Amino acid sequence: MALLTQIVEGDIIPRLLLAHKVRYDAFRDRSPLAELEQGPVTKSRVAPTAIADLAMVLLTHDVDDVETILHGHLRSGLRIEQVFVDLMAPAARYLGEMWEHDTASFADVTIGLGRLQTLLHRFSEMPYQENEVRGDSPSGLFVTPAGEAHSFGIHMVDELFRRSGWRTLCEPNSQIHDVLALVSRESFHLLGIGLTTQTQVSFAKELIRQVRIASCNPHILVLVGGSLIIAHPEEALSMGADFTASDGRQAIAIAETVLYEHAHSH
């Protein structure tokens, strides 16, 4: 049932949204901002059309307009973590699917993801009640392969872990030797790898193999995620990872459960 839920939420629903999307050019002719600024949520949940609409606004309006919309969702009752996981992350995946289906150009998608990246940075600077980070708090290192053009997803996961009280370090566009230098110098509880294309699988396999050898924490957990893994979760184990997750919330829950069980089994 958990696997079925992951497939439905991570793959089927975005594809259904894509199948019923409004084409990019047609969207330019209407003005959804007034409607979206109301934050279309029901009982603090995201409305079914909100993700597709947000993706389109990311392509057609400037970053301040998009920020106004997201603040509308917050005023309507969404928590900031819900805005991250249930709106911004799915909108990023939706943009990627638009490029794959040739309904938006690579340049347009890159601009849209850049706007999301800017918004994530702005929201990360907002005051919030975060869990206390102590010297003995769990630590995570989050990376993407060198040459990866988009780093929004890995920064999103890093921010969610940080808000949950983890000590985090985010290093997008990393070479294998860069990661090995970090894990051999500092004891991380978790290595998170974000993947978007099949060509990055060999990088992930080799990185995980070498990290197991070089890490000064012999029990380091390895998480793989990203749009590639959401579409093909079975790839995770073949790479040598310990687990995958459909979103940042699930990743935190799994990682903290495993760490708790390990700490209380010794």
Side-chain angles (χ1 to χ4, degrees):
M1 182 60 70
L3 178 58
L4 177 60
T5 300
Q6 178 176 329
I7 293 172
V8 170
E9 293 180 346
D11 190 23
I12 296 176
I13 289 177
R15 292 182 188 280
L16 286 174
L17 286 171
L18 185 64
H20 293 85
K21 68 183 181 301
V22 179
R23 284 190 60 84
Y24 176 28
D25 292 339
F27 187 83
R28 290 182 182 275
D29 298 330
R30 67 189 182 97
S31 179
L33 286 177
E35 175 185 344
L36 288 175
E37 286 171 13
Q38 299 303 313
V41 297
T42 303
K43 296 182 179 179
S44 298
R45 303 188 71 174
V46 175
T49 60
I51 294 168
D53 284 346
L54 178 61
M56 297 299 182
V57 172
L58 284 162
L59 294 176
T60 56
H61 292 75
D62 65 30
V63 69
D64 291 333
D65 288 334
V66 186
E67 183 176 13
T68 299
I69 292 167
L70 296 179
H71 278 292
H73 284 283
L74 291 172
R75 289 193 301 271
S76 297
L78 284 189
R79 300 189 306 277
I80 186 65
E81 290 79 10
Q82 290 176 290
V83 170
F84 287 165
V85 176
D86 297 331
L87 270 173
M88 295 172 70
R93 290 196 294 270
Y94 192 95
L95 290 175
E97 291 186 348
M98 289 184 69
W99 174 60
E100 291 173 2
H101 290 76
D102 201 27
T103 56
S105 71
F106 182 80
D108 286 333
V109 170
T110 298
I111 291 170
L113 291 174
R115 288 168 178 153
L116 278 176
Q117 184 77 37
T118 298
L119 290 165
L120 180 62
H121 178 70
R122 289 184 183 181
F123 281 114
S124 70
E125 294 182 332
M126 290 172 54
Y128 66 95
Q129 185 65 43
E130 63 181 309
N131 293 325
E132 180 183 2
V133 177
R134 305 184 308 273
D136 60 350
S137 294
S139 58
L141 170 63
F142 301 97
V143 305
T144 59
E148 170 58 52
H150 301 135
S151 60
F152 169 74
I154 203 69
H155 280 291
M156 168 76 73
V157 173
D158 173 80
E159 177 68 12
L160 288 167
F161 271 83
R162 185 176 69 86
R163 285 172 174 266
S164 293
W166 285 60
R167 293 178 290 116
T168 68
L169 177 62
C170 188
E171 295 289 334
N173 279 295
S174 291
Q175 302 279 359
I176 288 180
H177 62 79
D178 297 324
V179 181
L180 296 179
L182 289 168
V183 300
S184 63
R185 187 169 63 243
E186 181 176 347
S187 181
F188 291 96
H189 294 88
L190 174 72
L191 169 65
I193 308 171
L195 305 173
T196 58
T197 66
Q198 193 67 36
T199 58
Q200 297 170 341
V201 170
S202 59
F203 166 90
K205 286 182 177 179
E206 184 60 19
L207 175 60
I208 293 169
R209 186 188 71 80
Q210 294 196 39
V211 162
R212 302 285 191 201
I213 299 170
S215 174
C216 56
N217 175 12
H219 305 294
I220 189 171
L221 291 174
V222 178
L223 156 72
V224 292
S227 57
L228 172 67
I229 304 302
I230 289 175
H232 303 284
E234 71 281 356
E235 294 268 17
L237 291 180
S238 70
M239 296 178 197
D242 294 298
F243 70 101
T244 184
S246 61
D247 59 46
R249 275 185 311 228
Q250 187 183 71
I252 294 167
I254 294 173
E256 292 184 346
T257 297
V258 173
L259 290 178
Y260 177 86
E261 291 176 349
H262 179 78
H264 290 78
S265 63
H266 293 79

